[in-house]
């Protein structure tokens, strides 16, 4: 009976990990695939441990799930993040992985202690508009310096960053386009690890009280 349960556990972990990964990307890498399988195994195992112990080992389980989530985030971020640079002006488009970024227009803004040029960009996926981002290039008169204010749009599976660079002689801008896969999973997993640690400390303190 124990062997059957182990076989079901291993099989479900392997199948779930492989399916979750390959359904997201056309190009598959070995390391993220292994990490998905192992992490799903940890998550399933810890959920079962919470049920088995009737919540007594919840702090350990949360911390272990956090480690698994961090592993997924780190592996996916390493293998499925993209970055490119593009020379753009209103009416132009650039490609970033599966996304098309269209430069709509440039606005001139006046702030409390700066002036700025703001690029208004639209992000498309499969020809469908999914977001608008507005990176800025600011000029601070008092400090006589230029600074870029990047724009970001987040998804559950990653973040898109757009940085507006120097304005070129022909009036176009140099843009830096980045897609950071699963970056928020790293932070979320770290948070789960901290929560698990806090639960463990509170539990230990109650026992010694």
């Amino acid at each position: 009976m124990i062997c059957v349960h182990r076989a079901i556990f291993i099989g479900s972990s392997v199948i779930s990990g492989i399916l979750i990964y390959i359904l997201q990307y056309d190009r598959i890498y070995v390391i993220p695939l292994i990490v998905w399988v192992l992490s799903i195994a940890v998550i399933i195992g810890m959920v079962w441990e919470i049920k088995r112990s009737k919540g007594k080992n919840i702090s350990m389980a949360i911390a272990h799930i956090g480690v698994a989530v961090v592993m997924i985030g780190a592996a996916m971020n390493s293998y499925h993040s993209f970055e490119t640079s593009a020379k753009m002006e209103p009416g132009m488009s650039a490609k970033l992985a599966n996304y098309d970024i269209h430069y709509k227009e440039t606005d001139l803004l006046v702030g409390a202690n700066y002036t700025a040029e703001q690029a208004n960009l639209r992000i498309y996926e499969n020809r469908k508009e999914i977001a608008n981002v507005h990176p800025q290039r600011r000029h601070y008169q008092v400090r006589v310096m230029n600074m870029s204010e990047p724009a970001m749009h987040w998804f559950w599976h990653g973040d898109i960053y757009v940085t507006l660079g120097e304005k070129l002689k022909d009036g176009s801008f140099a843009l830096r386009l980045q897609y950071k896969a699963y970056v928020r999973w790293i932070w979320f997993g770290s948070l789960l690890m901290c929560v698990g640690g806090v639960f463990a400390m509170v539990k230990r303190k109650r026992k010694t009280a």
Side-chain angles (χ1 to χ4, degrees), residues 140-160:
Y140 293 87
Q141 291 88 351
V142 176
R143 291 181 286 178
V144 192
M145 63 184 299
N146 295 321
M147 293 186 64
S148 293
E149 290 291 325
M152 181 199 70
H153 184 76
W154 66 275
F155 309 92
W156 68 269
H157 53 73
D159 297 352
I160 289 179

Side-chain angles (χ1 to χ4, degrees), residues 3 6 14 28 52 68 74 106 114 132 142 152 169 173 179 184 189 202:
C3 293
R6 286 180 178 177
V14 172
I28 305 302
R52 186 196 65 80
T106 304
Y114 67 87
N132 289 275
V142 176
M152 181 199 70
K169 292 181 179 180
F173 287 91
Y179 171 74
R184 292 175 184 267
V202 171

Side-chain angles (χ1 to χ4, degrees), residues 121-135:
L121 307 170
R122 291 176 176 175
I123 302 176
Y124 294 85
E125 184 179 18
N126 298 323
R127 298 184 179 181
K128 181 181 179 181
E129 183 178 336
I130 57 174
N132 289 275
V133 293
H134 310 283

Side-chain angles (χ1 to χ4, degrees), residues 88 92-94 99-105 119-125 128-135 153 160 162 175 177:
M88 298 183 71
M92 296 183 67
S93 296
Y99 303 99
D100 292 300
I101 300 178
H102 178 72
Y103 197 133
K104 182 183 177 184
E105 60 188 1
N120 298 320
L121 307 170
R122 291 176 176 175
I123 302 176
Y124 294 85
E125 184 179 18
K128 181 181 179 181
E129 183 178 336
I130 57 174
N132 289 275
V133 293
H134 310 283
H153 184 76
I160 289 179
V162 181
L175 274 80
L177 312 173

